[in-house]
Amino acid sequence: MKILIADDHELFRDGLRHVLGQLGEQLTIVEACDYGDLFAVARGGADFDLVLLDLTMPGAEWAEGLRQVKEILPGTPIIVLSAADDRRHVLQAVNMGAQGFIPKSSPSRVMLSALRLVLSGGVYLPPALIEPQGSGSDSFNPVATEQAISFLTPRQREVLALLGQGKSNKEIARSLELAEGTVKLHVTAILKALGVNNRTRAVVAASQMGLNETEV
């Protein structure tokens, strides 16, 4: 497994290396200390399994930096790391396709669980940061979302509830005793119904509707 760590604080990178060592995998870790370094490493042709990206690094505004990394490594899951747990940044990162958002204040056990979840194809978002907080432009329209969900089949609602828990397609298939291909078809239908373009936004929608607490 090859993981790219992009953070401008050497001490944090050292600590993250220690946490990653607990994944129990044979790891190759590549480091970048600013956005310029990150872009150069990403364009080097390495086949990364995961990118851990600090939002605030020298060399670019974080939104532009995330956009460029997604463009260079379109098939690689990205987990955003940040010392600031601003909900607007979480939702903006989600909109741009990040598969996870981990506050740097998280305990190592939480970080490990989040890493394993994303590596398995799931999504990790801090629950407290995706709860509805008023009607600002960063929030989903709850009425529109509820209407969209009402058009889903009972099985699709079950799949969406498990998506809301961040589970991967394989985990959903195992839980509902379905073929993984069938789960993928349900996920595609759910994304279309909700009008979103990635499963991370579906997780946010499900969480805001309380579906992540549904018993399935």
Side-chain angles (χ1 to χ4, degrees):
M1 182 184 301
K2 182 172 288 188
I3 297 178
L4 172 56
I5 300 174
D7 193 285
D8 59 334
H9 292 97
E10 184 176 0
L11 185 61
F12 183 78
R13 295 199 307 270
D14 289 344
L16 198 51
R17 275 180 170 272
H18 175 72
V19 173
L20 292 173
Q22 299 176 57
L23 285 173
E25 301 278 352
Q26 185 173 353
L27 294 177
T28 298
I29 297 176
V30 180
E31 297 183 11
C33 61
D34 57 39
Y35 277 110
D37 195 15
L38 171 59
F39 299 151
V41 171
R43 290 190 180 101
D47 187 16
F48 292 104
D49 296 286
L50 182 67
V51 176
L52 301 177
L53 173 64
D54 180 26
L55 284 184
T56 54
M57 293 193 300
E61 291 293 328
W62 77 263
E64 175 60 19
L66 176 56
R67 185 195 67 77
Q68 288 198 44
V69 175
K70 288 290 296 180
E71 185 177 290
I72 299 168
L73 301 171
T76 304
I78 296 174
I79 295 180
V80 171
L81 305 171
S82 179
D85 53 4
D86 189 319
R87 181 173 177 272
R88 292 172 301 171
H89 287 169
V90 176
L91 293 178
Q92 188 175 351
V94 165
N95 291 339
M96 297 177 68
Q99 279 79 12
F101 187 104
I102 305 177
K104 287 186 175 181
S105 59
S106 301
S108 59
R109 58 179 178 76
V110 172
M111 187 169 290
L112 279 170
S113 295
L115 294 172
R116 290 190 176 105
L117 180 61
V118 172
L119 285 168
S120 71
V123 170
Y124 177 79
L125 298 172
L129 297 183
I130 54 177
E131 293 172 354
Q133 297 182 5
S135 57
S137 59
D138 288 327
S139 299
F140 283 87
N141 182 327
V143 175
T145 301
E146 188 168 10
Q147 288 177 340
I149 290 174
S150 71
F151 289 107
L152 300 178
T153 67
R155 178 62 87 187
Q156 287 168 347
R157 287 175 66 90
E158 290 179 326
V159 171
L160 179 57
L162 292 171
L163 273 179
Q165 297 171 25
K167 294 187 180 297
S168 65
N169 287 352
K170 182 178 294 186
E171 291 171 322
I172 294 172
R174 185 164 52 246
S175 178
L176 298 180
E177 298 183 348
L178 297 173
E180 192 171 346
T182 301
V183 172
K184 290 180 181 178
L185 291 175
H186 284 316
V187 171
T188 299
I190 289 166
L191 298 184
K192 184 176 181 180
L194 294 178
V196 299
N197 58 8
N198 62 62
R199 64 191 293 127
T200 322
R201 284 179 60 85
V203 168
V204 175
S207 298
Q208 291 190 346
M209 295 304 299
L211 292 180
N212 56 328
E213 299 174 358
T214 301
E215 294 294 331
V216 294

